[in-house]
Amino acid sequence: GIEQGELRALRPFLVRMVERRFAELTPLAQQQAERITSPVLLSSLIDKLFTTQTLEQVRQLLIKIEETPESQS
């Protein structure tokens, strides 16, 4: 449905955003994007990526997804 369509649009955007800024985190971004099943959570993550400054901040943001219950299917 609509939710799946949003996820299909947002996942590549998240990965591309990470890839352009911190290419070495691309595999982690791809892995985490696939784990997220909520478009709201994915949008929130993308919003947070706009304010991150360092590779470590982005890494921590991506790793924290695993600790968020909504990211699990």
Side-chain angles (χ1 to χ4, degrees), residues 16-70:
R16 178 107 170 120
M17 198 172 167
V18 171
E19 181 180 47
R20 297 287 287 164
R21 294 179 65 206
F22 302 105
E24 57 268 46
L25 293 179
T26 303
L28 178 60
Q30 288 171 329
Q31 177 184 29
Q32 298 301 71
E34 289 304 315
R35 299 180 90 168
I36 298 172
T37 58
S38 163
V40 173
L41 181 61
L42 198 48
S43 291
S44 173
L45 177 60
I46 290 168
D47 289 343
K48 290 175 185 171
L49 282 172
F50 280 110
T51 61
T52 56
Q53 301 290 319
T54 67
L55 180 137
E56 192 53 37
Q57 285 176 329
V58 174
R59 183 190 320 275
Q60 289 303 314
L61 198 57
L62 291 170
I63 289 171
K64 281 184 185 178
I65 295 167
E66 291 181 3
E67 301 162 8
T68 307
E70 302 102 39

